[in-house]
C-alpha cells in the first residue's frame, strides 16, 4: 500500500511561476526523497533529505521536511516547460530502510 | 552509459504466456530492486537483492513471479502465465552501500502489455 500521498494530484502553471507540491507520510522515516518521472519513462532522483534536516536546496529545487507533521514540500522555482513531469515523494521506513514507499504523485504541467 | 539498463523496453504478450525481463544495475552497486508501476500510481516495491541474495519479497509478488540475481550482477524477473492485471511498467533500481541510505537509481523500465 502507498504510504505517501502527494497534494495536489495535478498542477498546471505558467512558465516562470513557482510550483509547490506537498507530501504526507504515515510512519517514522530515515529520510525522504523526491523523484521526477517524465511520461512513460523511468524515475530520476532529484533530492534526498534526512530526518534530522529541515530544509535542503539543489539548484531551483527547495525541499522542506517537517517530521512532527509527517510532511514534506517540494518547491520548483522559475519553472520551465521541461519541468513538466510527475513528481513522487518516497520514504524509507526505519525498520526496513532498503525499501522505498512511493506516493501517488503530482502531475505538473508547465505551460510555455 | 553507466546507468541502470533494462531490456526489453516494451513487451506485448498474450495472456497465459511467460515473459522475462532483464536489469543491469550500475556497476558495483550491490543492491538491486524491482518495482511495479500501474498507470497513474507510484511505483510499488516487489523485491530486493543484496548481491545474489533475495532478501525480501512483497506480497504483490505472487507465485507466478520469480526474480533471480545469480551472480550478484544482472537480475531477471520472470512472470509465468501472464494475466491482464500484470500489465504495468516494471522498474529496476540499484544502490551502492556507500551512497545515502536508500538513494536508488532507476532504469527506464519495461512496459508490459498483456492482451
Amino acid at each position: 500500500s502507498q504510504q505517501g500521498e502527494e497534494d495536489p494530484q495535478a498542477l498546471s502553471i505558467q512558465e516562470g511561476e513557482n510550483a509547490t507540491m506537498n507530501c504526507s507520510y504515515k510512519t517514522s522515516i530515515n529520510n525522504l526523497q523526491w523523484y521526477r518521472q517524465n511520461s512513460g519513462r523511468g524515475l530520476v532522483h532529484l533530492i534526498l533529505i534526512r530526518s534530522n534536516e529541515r530544509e535542503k536546496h539543489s539548484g531551483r529545487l527547495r525541499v522542506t521536511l517537517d517530521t512532527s507533521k509527517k510532511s514534506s514540500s517540494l518547491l520548483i522555482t522559475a519553472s520551465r516547460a521541461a519541468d513538466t513531469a510527475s513528481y513522487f515523494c518516497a520514504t524509507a521506513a526505519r525498520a526496513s530502510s532498503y525499501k522505498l514507499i512511493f506516493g501517488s504523485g503530482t502531475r505538473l504541467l508547465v505551460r510555455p | 552509459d553507466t546507468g541502470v539498463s533494462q531490456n526489453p523496453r516494451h513487451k506485448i504478450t498474450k495472456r497465459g504466456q511467460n515473459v522475462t525481463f532483464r536489469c543491469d544495475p550500475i556497476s558495483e552497486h550491490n543492491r538491486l530492486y524491482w518495482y511495479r508501476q500501474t498507470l497513474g500510481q507510484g511505483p510499488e516495491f516487489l523485491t530486493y537483492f543484496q548481491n545474489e541474495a533475495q532478501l525480501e519479497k512483497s506480497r504483490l509478488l505472487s507465485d507466478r513471479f520469480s526474480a533471480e540475481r545469480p551472480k550478484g550482477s544482472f537480475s531477471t524477473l520472470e512472470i509465468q502465465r501472464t494475466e491482464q492485471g500484470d500489465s504495468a511498467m516494471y522498474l529496476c533500481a540499484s544502490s551502492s552501500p556507500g551512497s545515502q541510505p536508500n538513494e536508488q537509481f532507476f532504469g527506464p523500465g519495461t512496459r508490459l502489455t498483456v492482451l
Side-chain angles (χ1 to χ4, degrees):
Chain A
S1 64
Q2 304 285 342
Q3 165 160 245
E5 290 297 330
E6 283 90 346
D7 170 57
Q9 290 186 341
L11 180 61
S12 179
I13 59 173
Q14 201 72 34
E15 201 166 27
E17 293 180 339
N18 296 342
T20 299
M21 289 158 267
N22 303 296
C23 166
S24 60
Y25 57 92
K26 297 176 183 174
T27 65
S28 296
I29 59 171
N30 282 332
N31 56 61
L32 185 144
Q33 302 178 62
W34 285 90
Y35 286 83
R36 183 186 74 220
Q37 184 177 39
N38 292 87
S39 180
R41 309 293 289 275
L43 281 81
V44 174
H45 183 268
L46 293 177
I47 194 165
L48 179 149
I49 186 166
R50 300 181 188 183
S51 58
N52 62 353
E53 296 176 314
R54 292 297 168 258
E55 186 171 313
K56 200 163 183 180
H57 297 255
S58 177
R60 294 184 296 112
L61 306 180
R62 173 179 166 249
V63 169
T64 62
L65 179 65
D66 187 336
T67 53
S68 66
K69 296 181 179 179
K70 291 185 167 57
S71 67
S72 174
S73 67
L74 171 67
L75 169 68
I76 304 174
T77 60
S79 63
R80 305 166 182 169
D83 295 328
T84 294
S86 291
Y87 292 82
F88 296 92
C89 69
T91 55
R94 291 187 192 281
S96 54
S97 62
Y98 49 82
K99 182 169 77 174
L100 287 179
I101 303 173
F102 287 84
S104 52
T106 292
R107 294 183 303 281
L108 173 66
L109 171 65
V110 180
R111 304 186 304 274
Chain B
D1 188 350
T2 57
V4 177
S5 63
Q6 292 187 246
N7 287 289
R9 295 291 306 279
H10 303 274
K11 179 70 176 179
I12 300 174
T13 191
K14 293 183 179 179
R15 189 176 52 188
Q17 298 294 306
N18 299 343
V19 294
T20 300
F21 310 140
R22 175 176 170 130
C23 171
D24 287 87
I26 293 172
S27 179
E28 298 177 359
H29 277 195
N30 69 333
R31 297 192 182 101
L32 186 147
Y33 314 79
W34 285 98
Y35 293 82
R36 183 176 70 185
Q37 185 180 24
T38 53
L39 200 61
Q41 298 297 314
E44 293 178 291
F45 173 82
L46 291 179
T47 190
Y48 151 70
F49 290 86
Q50 181 162 306
N51 299 314
E52 66 275 7
Q54 187 173 19
L55 297 186
E56 183 170 344
K57 292 171 59 173
S58 163
R59 288 171 296 176
L60 294 173
L61 221 61
S62 74
D63 291 344
R64 297 183 296 105
F65 288 71
S66 62
E68 295 182 345
R69 195 183 183 199
K71 296 181 179 178
S73 56
F74 73 91
S75 175
T76 58
L77 177 68
E78 180 183 17
I79 308 174
Q80 296 182 328
R81 305 181 303 282
T82 52
E83 302 173 355
Q84 287 184 326
D86 297 331
S87 294
M89 175 80 88
Y90 290 84
L91 295 163
C92 175
S94 68
S95 68
S96 159
S99 67
Q100 294 282 355
N102 250 333
E103 186 173 3
Q104 297 177 17
F105 298 86
F106 282 79
T110 294
R111 181 169 294 285
L112 173 65
T113 302
V114 182
L115 303 176

